[in-house]
Amino acid sequence: MSSVDERETGTGAVVARLSRLDQFLPIWIGLAMAAGLLLGRLIPGLNSALEAVTIGGISLPIALGLLIMMYPVLAKVRYDRLDTVAGDRRLLFFSLLLNWIVGPALMFALAWIFLADQPEYRTGLIIVGLARCIAMVIIWNDLACGDREAAAVLVALNSVFQVLAFGLLGWFYLTLLPQWLDLPGAELTVSGLDIAGNVLIFLGIPLLAGFLTRRLGERARGRQWYEARFLPKIGPAALYGLLFTIVILFALQGDAITSRPWDVALIAVPLLAYFAIMWAGSYALGRAAGLNYERTTTLAFTAAGNNFELAIAVAIGTFGVTSGQALAGVVGPLIEVPVLVALVYVSLGLRRRLFPAATSPSALR
C-alpha cells in the first residue's frame, strides 16, 4: 500500500503512486464500455442469458460485480473512526440537502428544459435524479483520496433515505408537481420493500463483510498486518469488479444504445449538465464551509453520483424494458462513468491549489 508525501499532492504525484491498473483507469473503462456494447450487439441471446437470474431486480452478473467492487473499499474503512463523521453535523446536513432536495430538483428542471417534448426520456431522467448513489461512489471517492469513513456514513445515510423517500419523491416530481405547474406528468409504481431489499443486498452485504474482515483480521494479526499486507492483496478486486460490472451492464443494453444514437445524445446533454453542476456546486459548498479536502471530495462525489442500478430497475419494472424511460436510465451510467472518472482527476488537480494546508491523503491501495 502506498501513500502520498505531504509535499507532493499534485495530480501527477498522486497518479504516479497509483498501480498500473489505476493509472490507466479511463482507458480500461472506455475499453470495458466498448467491449460491453460489442458483446451486446454481436452475441445473439446474450441479454436473455444475463437476465435469466436476478438479485434485487438486477441481473445476477451485475449484482456479483457490484458486490465484488464494493467489498475491498469497505474493508479499508476504519470503523472505529465513524463517530467523528457522525458528529460532523455540517457534513451530514449538506449531504442530505444536496442529495434529497437539490439533486432531484435540479434533474427535474434539466429534464424539462432539455426534454420538454420527450415525455418518456424526461420521466426516465427524473427517476435517475431520485436514485441517490450507494455503490460506485465508493470507488470514485477512493480514487480521489476522499474520506473513506465519511463516504461509508453518507452512503449509509443515503440508503436509509432511499428506502423512505424514493417513492414519495417519485410521486411528488412525476405527479404532484407537474399538476401544480400544469405540466403533463406520469405515474411511478415502486415498492418500498423492493428498494429496501436493493439497499440490503448492495450495501448491507459488502458493508457487513468489510466490517467483519477488518474486525477479525485486526484481532487475529493486528492493524499493521491488516493494512500493510492484507488490504493491498484484495484492493485490485474493486476495480476488477468495476470493469466487469461495466462490461455486463453495457452488454445488456448495447443494442438499445447503439441503435438509437440520436436519442442517446439528447439524453446525454442534460445528464452532462447535471453531473457538472452537482459536482462543482457541492465541491464549492464544501470548500466555502471550511471542510477539509477529503470531506469536500466525499461530499462532491456522493452528491453527484446516482444509483443507476435502482433507476434502471424501477424504469424497467414500471414502464417496460423497451421503454424510453428504461433507455434514459441506461444512458445514465454511459455518461456518469467517464464524467466522474474525469472528475477524480479534476479533484486531485484542485487539491494543491485549493487546499494548500491539506495533509497527505489516505493510502490508495
Short mmCIF file of all heavy atoms in Angstrom, two decimals, residues 3 10 34 86 94 114 135 139 175 189 210 219 221 224 240 253 297 304 310 318:
data_model
loop_
_atom_site.label_atom_id
_atom_site.label_comp_id
_atom_site.label_asym_id
_atom_site.label_seq_id
_atom_site.Cartn_x
_atom_site.Cartn_y
_atom_site.Cartn_z
N SER A 3 1.41 5.57 -0.06
CA SER A 3 0.81 6.82 0.39
C SER A 3 1.51 7.95 -0.31
O SER A 3 2.55 7.80 -0.90
CB SER A 3 0.94 6.95 1.92
OG SER A 3 2.29 6.95 2.28
N GLY A 10 0.10 17.09 -5.90
CA GLY A 10 -0.46 17.42 -7.19
C GLY A 10 -0.95 16.18 -7.89
O GLY A 10 -0.69 15.06 -7.50
N ALA A 34 -16.83 -0.22 -24.43
CA ALA A 34 -16.84 -0.64 -25.83
C ALA A 34 -17.04 -2.15 -25.95
O ALA A 34 -17.81 -2.63 -26.80
CB ALA A 34 -15.55 -0.21 -26.52
N ALA A 86 -20.01 10.97 12.10
CA ALA A 86 -21.39 11.14 12.56
C ALA A 86 -21.55 12.41 13.38
O ALA A 86 -22.64 12.99 13.44
CB ALA A 86 -21.80 9.93 13.39
N PHE A 94 -25.30 19.03 4.83
CA PHE A 94 -25.04 19.36 3.43
C PHE A 94 -25.33 18.17 2.53
O PHE A 94 -25.87 18.32 1.43
CB PHE A 94 -23.59 19.81 3.25
CG PHE A 94 -23.27 21.15 3.85
CD1 PHE A 94 -21.99 21.42 4.33
CD2 PHE A 94 -24.23 22.14 3.94
CE1 PHE A 94 -21.68 22.65 4.89
CE2 PHE A 94 -23.94 23.38 4.49
CZ PHE A 94 -22.67 23.63 4.98
N PHE A 114 -34.48 20.50 -21.28
CA PHE A 114 -33.89 19.89 -22.46
C PHE A 114 -34.80 18.87 -23.15
O PHE A 114 -34.61 18.59 -24.34
CB PHE A 114 -32.57 19.20 -22.09
CG PHE A 114 -31.46 20.15 -21.77
CD1 PHE A 114 -31.15 20.48 -20.46
CD2 PHE A 114 -30.71 20.73 -22.78
CE1 PHE A 114 -30.12 21.35 -20.16
CE2 PHE A 114 -29.68 21.61 -22.50
CZ PHE A 114 -29.39 21.93 -21.19
N ALA A 135 -23.37 2.90 -4.47
CA ALA A 135 -22.44 1.86 -4.90
C ALA A 135 -21.17 2.43 -5.49
O ALA A 135 -20.15 2.54 -4.81
CB ALA A 135 -23.14 0.92 -5.89
N ILE A 139 -16.09 3.85 -5.11
CA ILE A 139 -14.89 3.75 -5.93
C ILE A 139 -14.36 5.12 -6.30
O ILE A 139 -13.17 5.41 -6.16
CB ILE A 139 -15.19 2.95 -7.21
CG1 ILE A 139 -15.54 1.50 -6.85
CG2 ILE A 139 -14.00 2.99 -8.16
CD1 ILE A 139 -14.37 0.68 -6.39
N THR A 175 -45.92 13.34 -10.43
CA THR A 175 -47.38 13.51 -10.42
C THR A 175 -47.82 14.84 -9.84
O THR A 175 -48.47 15.65 -10.52
CB THR A 175 -48.04 12.35 -9.62
OG1 THR A 175 -47.65 11.10 -10.19
CG2 THR A 175 -49.55 12.47 -9.67
N THR A 189 -44.76 3.41 -10.29
CA THR A 189 -45.06 2.28 -9.42
C THR A 189 -43.76 1.73 -8.87
O THR A 189 -42.92 1.23 -9.63
CB THR A 189 -45.80 1.17 -10.19
OG1 THR A 189 -46.99 1.71 -10.76
CG2 THR A 189 -46.14 0.01 -9.26
N GLY A 210 -17.09 -6.15 4.95
CA GLY A 210 -15.93 -5.29 5.19
C GLY A 210 -15.67 -5.09 6.66
O GLY A 210 -14.52 -5.13 7.13
N ARG A 219 -7.98 -8.40 14.83
CA ARG A 219 -7.94 -9.16 16.08
C ARG A 219 -6.95 -10.32 15.98
O ARG A 219 -6.22 -10.63 16.92
CB ARG A 219 -9.33 -9.69 16.41
CG ARG A 219 -9.40 -10.49 17.70
CD ARG A 219 -10.82 -10.91 17.99
NE ARG A 219 -11.68 -9.76 18.24
CZ ARG A 219 -13.00 -9.87 18.45
NH1 ARG A 219 -13.58 -11.05 18.44
NH2 ARG A 219 -13.72 -8.78 18.67
N ARG A 221 -4.32 -10.69 13.53
CA ARG A 221 -2.95 -10.40 13.11
C ARG A 221 -2.50 -8.98 13.41
O ARG A 221 -1.33 -8.66 13.20
CB ARG A 221 -2.82 -10.66 11.60
CG ARG A 221 -3.20 -12.06 11.15
CD ARG A 221 -2.21 -13.10 11.62
NE ARG A 221 -0.91 -12.91 11.00
CZ ARG A 221 -0.57 -13.42 9.82
NH1 ARG A 221 -1.44 -14.15 9.13
NH2 ARG A 221 0.63 -13.22 9.33
N GLN A 224 -1.35 -3.39 11.74
CA GLN A 224 -0.22 -3.22 10.82
C GLN A 224 -0.25 -4.27 9.72
O GLN A 224 -0.11 -3.97 8.54
CB GLN A 224 1.10 -3.28 11.60
CG GLN A 224 2.35 -3.24 10.73
CD GLN A 224 2.48 -1.93 9.96
OE1 GLN A 224 1.98 -0.89 10.40
NE2 GLN A 224 3.16 -1.98 8.82
N TYR A 240 -11.41 -4.52 -10.62
CA TYR A 240 -11.81 -5.63 -11.47
C TYR A 240 -13.33 -5.78 -11.46
O TYR A 240 -13.96 -6.02 -12.49
CB TYR A 240 -11.15 -6.94 -11.01
CG TYR A 240 -9.65 -6.95 -11.12
CD1 TYR A 240 -8.86 -7.55 -10.15
CD2 TYR A 240 -9.00 -6.35 -12.21
CE1 TYR A 240 -7.47 -7.56 -10.25
CE2 TYR A 240 -7.62 -6.35 -12.32
CZ TYR A 240 -6.86 -6.96 -11.34
OH TYR A 240 -5.49 -6.97 -11.45
N GLN A 253 -27.43 -3.64 -22.46
CA GLN A 253 -28.15 -2.53 -23.09
C GLN A 253 -27.47 -2.06 -24.37
O GLN A 253 -27.77 -0.97 -24.86
CB GLN A 253 -28.26 -1.36 -22.09
CG GLN A 253 -28.92 -1.72 -20.77
CD GLN A 253 -30.37 -2.14 -20.94
OE1 GLN A 253 -31.02 -1.80 -21.93
NE2 GLN A 253 -30.90 -2.88 -19.96
N THR A 297 -14.25 16.40 -1.00
CA THR A 297 -14.28 15.46 -2.11
C THR A 297 -15.38 14.44 -1.93
O THR A 297 -16.14 14.13 -2.86
CB THR A 297 -12.91 14.75 -2.22
OG1 THR A 297 -11.92 15.72 -2.51
CG2 THR A 297 -12.92 13.69 -3.30
N ALA A 304 -22.97 13.96 -6.47
CA ALA A 304 -23.05 13.91 -7.94
C ALA A 304 -23.44 12.54 -8.47
O ALA A 304 -24.06 12.43 -9.52
CB ALA A 304 -21.71 14.33 -8.55
N LEU A 310 -30.66 1.05 -9.43
CA LEU A 310 -32.03 1.20 -8.96
C LEU A 310 -32.88 1.91 -10.01
O LEU A 310 -34.02 1.52 -10.27
CB LEU A 310 -32.05 1.97 -7.64
CG LEU A 310 -33.45 2.32 -7.09
CD1 LEU A 310 -34.24 1.05 -6.81
CD2 LEU A 310 -33.33 3.18 -5.83
N THR A 318 -41.58 -0.46 -14.12
CA THR A 318 -42.77 0.37 -14.26
C THR A 318 -43.19 0.55 -15.71
O THR A 318 -44.38 0.49 -16.04
CB THR A 318 -42.53 1.76 -13.63
OG1 THR A 318 -42.17 1.60 -12.26
CG2 THR A 318 -43.79 2.61 -13.72
#
